[in-house]
Amino acid sequence: MAADMILYWSSRSPFVRKVMVAAHELGLEHRIRTVPTLVSATVPNFEHLSVNPLGRIPTLVLEDGTTLFDSQPIIEYLNEFSRGWLVPPAGPARLRAMRWHALATGLLEVLVAWLSERSRAIPHNAAIAGYERKARATLNLLEQEAADIAGAPFSMGHIAIGVALGYLDFRYSSLNWREGRPKLAAWGEVFAARPSAKATVPVDDRK
Ligand SMILES: N[C@@H](CCC(=O)N[C@@H](CS)C(=O)NCC(=O)O)C(=O)O
């Protein structure tokens, strides 16, 4: 089947991974051509800026040329495009999925900001302590809710949580996030065993 969407992509980006997990879950991975794209908050990628003025990935370009920015609307589009089941249409199920999605995507934002701070020549220690505090507090809340997470139908909220846990293993192994969080750790294993998760494991190559 010919690819009819273009995804500006990196094997390291957790936000891109959210989109790729959704694409695999929905059976859309063959409809998307991935374009390896190097982005950075400090070094401009002028070619990519002409596609997305924010200079960010993921960026999805549809067949009619429409450009979508940000992992959430991209996943919502893919779900609608395929009449999928990752975004509950209404009611408490939707609220729960969106709430978990926002919580775990917020955790990813904290982790990415933390990574950038710790790679500075002179890191701001108070900022690093703040990121660690927020990351640990969010993980504690996810542990409290782990039984509900495990029991609820798989949704975009689950994708964000699973990707955040995978990103912790990828970049923050020293945080030992599983310690004291057995229920979340067990759910993390279940997520990691899904074919969509196995097909999208982060890799630290150039892009
Ligand atoms: N809210 C965005 C965040 C995307 C994001 O921050 N992506 C990073 C890569 S992991 C990026 O493009 N960084 C380059 C920059 O911010 O200039 C989403 O969910 O897609």
Side-chain angles (χ1 to χ4, degrees):
M1 193 182 297
D4 41 19
M5 294 174 255
I6 298 171
L7 181 70
Y8 291 85
W9 172 96
S10 157
S11 58
R12 295 187 301 206
S13 165
F15 302 100
V16 168
R17 188 177 183 213
K18 281 170 57 188
V19 169
M20 290 307 295
V21 171
H24 279 268
E25 290 287 342
L26 297 166
L28 289 178
E29 71 276 20
H30 301 300
R31 308 286 294 267
I32 297 174
R33 179 163 68 85
T34 53
V35 177
T37 305
L38 204 52
V39 289
S40 144
T42 49
V43 183
N45 175 339
F46 291 109
E47 204 182 323
H48 186 55
L49 278 169
S50 69
V51 179
N52 177 348
L54 299 169
R56 286 182 159 180
I57 54 171
T59 304
L60 186 73
V61 182
L62 310 184
E63 205 174 16
D64 69 359
T66 304
T67 310
L68 298 182
F69 321 105
D70 200 280
S71 53
Q72 176 168 351
I74 293 174
I75 293 172
E76 293 206 40
Y77 172 78
L78 295 179
N79 190 66
E80 207 171 295
F81 178 81
S82 61
R83 297 178 204 276
W85 42 275
L86 292 176
V87 186
R94 180 177 171 82
L95 187 64
R96 194 169 47 179
M98 289 304 183
R99 180 176 168 277
W100 282 329
H101 180 268
L103 185 64
T105 303
L107 173 57
L108 282 174
E109 283 161 6
V110 166
L111 295 174
V112 168
W114 182 358
L115 190 68
S116 130
E117 191 59 46
R118 78 181 182 184
S119 65
R120 283 178 197 267
I122 306 176
H124 189 302
N125 289 336
I128 287 185
Y131 294 138
E132 178 164 357
R133 194 161 46 238
K134 290 178 186 183
R136 288 190 187 281
T138 305
L139 287 165
N140 290 344
L141 180 58
L142 289 170
E143 170 68 11
Q144 278 173 33
E145 299 189 6
D148 290 342
I149 293 167
F154 193 82
S155 69
M156 69 187 286
H158 293 80
I159 293 179
I161 297 168
V163 167
L165 299 180
Y167 195 66
L168 285 161
D169 286 337
F170 182 49
R171 291 288 192 223
Y172 292 89
S173 54
S174 62
L175 204 64
N176 292 325
W177 67 266
R178 289 176 180 79
E179 213 171 273
R181 301 186 188 95
K183 290 185 240 151
L184 189 59
W187 183 81
E189 297 309 313
V190 173
F191 173 81
R194 292 180 84 90
S196 61
K198 286 185 171 168
T200 58
V201 171
V203 181
D204 215 354
D205 62 7
R206 206 177 65 84
K207 299 252 162 114

